[in-house]
Amino acid sequence: MTAHRLEVADVFHAHENEFLQRWGHALSDQQRKVLRDIGLCRTAALGSHLERCDRCSYETVAYDSCRNRHCPKCQSSARDRWLMKQARSLLPVPYAHVVFTVPEQLAPLALRNQRLFYSLLFRAASETLMEIAADPRYLGARIGVLAVLHTWSQNLSHHPHLHCLVPAGGLALDNSRWIATRRGFFLPVRVLSRMFRGKLLAFLKQSYQRSELCFAGKLAELSTPRAFHSLLGTLRRREWVVYSKPPFGGPEHVLKYLARYTHRVAISNGRLLSLDNGQVRFRWRDSRHNNRSSVMKFDAVEFIRRFLLHVLPSGFVKIRHFGLLANRNRRQALALCRLHLNVNTSDNKALLTEQQKSALSRSCPQCKRGTLHVVARYSTVDPPSSNSALDHATFDSS
């Protein structure tokens, strides 16, 4: 039997009461739900189910998952299903990875106004990419953008930024041909940075004029026109960080890239090292020192507080598509792109790893040929009394 691996849920179990005593008054309903769901995920409290192979006698009992999108244990299968769907939209061209970062002075405003601020962030970044790409001086084409919101840094601080994956090329403005970017180059970073800066600050100014921003708590001093416009003026004079990796790979590389970013949560269970004497130790990469790997230690209550900073508003969509990839015209736009690229729709299953295919198909681990199907569900703590089921019981804690 393998030793139990430390999980975020273990920290929650051990220190939830202490955390609630200190911070319970400040939690949103959504944060309370995440705290509860992660703590109960794949335990008897959520019930269990019996799975049976349709080719052999194999049976297994497993506890049910919470399916919360912030849970470190529930994202793997959701990611693989999403990747399989996205594979249909991939083109056989290089892709560029562009990251739009928000200055740290705006992070408190973003945290207090999450739904509005993050939506403006998506809008500013997507419009920047599409407008500069459409400019004949740079590309002169209509492009597609897949954008993913992350709100954390490696040390769990609040650090809103967007990861954008973009085909390195697009349709000519008259739809007559495919226009590829120059080899090893996508769009000029400084131009992207300055337009992004201008757009986001303009959107924030409009929101302030419409009284849409909240300035509660420590942000109260920013509520006056003089203070708010002074902040915007200061940020307008600074260079903002936009990172663009040279175009890389094809569809198979893009899927691996997407797997790293789309369904991440603030910290994975794999980065946790220990929980001793109320202290959580975990691995992190220090971006200010060439991504040097190191170990960080937090008080458990502070660890929980930082984790819950990254709980998104209920129903907020953190993965969005724009331009050629927008849902309303994706099928027609991609068909036209493939026509000009002289390619057929790719076999999306061929782009997934064998492990991903097996997970999606629920392959039987015993005979390797059959498929596992749920044949019964149980809402009590006790698993089914069937001897055959108990003989093969596997309570998944991965």
Side-chain angles (χ1 to χ4, degrees), residues 271-319:
R271 287 175 55 197
L272 302 184
L273 297 175
S274 66
L275 173 62
D276 296 308
N277 300 317
Q279 300 289 312
V280 181
R281 294 172 61 251
F282 61 92
R283 288 190 296 270
W284 74 299
R285 287 181 290 101
D286 187 352
S287 60
R288 296 185 178 181
H289 295 88
N290 297 318
N291 283 326
R292 182 179 60 192
S293 181
S294 186
V295 174
M296 183 165 286
K297 181 168 67 174
F298 279 154
D299 172 82
V301 170
E302 174 63 9
F303 176 87
I304 297 174
R305 185 192 74 82
R306 291 201 181 200
F307 185 94
L308 294 180
L309 284 178
H310 310 293
V311 172
L312 296 174
S314 177
F316 187 86
V317 180
K318 73 168 189 175
I319 306 175

Side-chain angles (χ1 to χ4, degrees), residues 136-152:
R137 292 176 296 175
Y138 304 114
L139 186 61
R142 293 191 297 126
I143 63 171
V145 179
L146 186 155
V148 184
L149 172 68
H150 284 186
T151 63
W152 56 85

